[in-house]
Amino acid sequence: MLVGVQGLIRLAIFTLLVVGLADRFSHGWTQHRWLAVLLLFIAGGIANVNTSSDVMFTWLLSASVFGVVLVLGYVLLARYDTAVVPV
């Protein structure tokens, strides 16, 4: 049980850090949006590192999907109000 809670706390801290950095890099989504998108996409791929797959294509596809979800989550939700980020 404790392992699941620790993983959730780590994910929440990681997400808060990445969203905060993306917001800072893009100056509230007004400048350098490409840098924020790149940061979010890479962070999504890094966060997906725990998935184990023997096939590299499957891992890359999964990391890409997670990265896109993180970018869309920021663009559609978190950039307006960071209170939606789980803390």
Side-chain angles (χ1 to χ4, degrees):
M1 176 67 180
L2 188 58
V3 174
V5 172
Q6 287 176 345
L8 184 62
I9 290 172
R10 279 190 206 144
L11 183 62
I13 291 171
F14 179 76
T15 305
L16 183 62
L17 176 69
V18 168
V19 167
L21 284 173
D23 191 56
R24 187 169 186 85
F25 285 157
S26 67
H27 301 284
W29 202 248
T30 58
Q31 300 173 348
H32 308 294
R33 293 180 189 164
W34 61 271
L35 185 61
V37 168
L38 183 65
L39 171 73
L40 289 167
F41 187 78
I42 290 172
I46 290 171
N48 195 34
V49 124
N50 287 336
T51 60
S52 61
S53 178
D54 295 332
V55 181
M56 186 66 150
F57 175 74
T58 306
W59 180 85
L60 284 173
L61 183 65
S62 177
S64 297
V65 167
F66 197 77
V68 168
V69 166
L70 191 58
V71 168
L72 288 176
Y74 175 75
V75 170
L76 299 175
L77 296 173
R79 72 181 173 126
Y80 298 111
D81 185 15
T82 55
V84 297
V85 177
V87 176

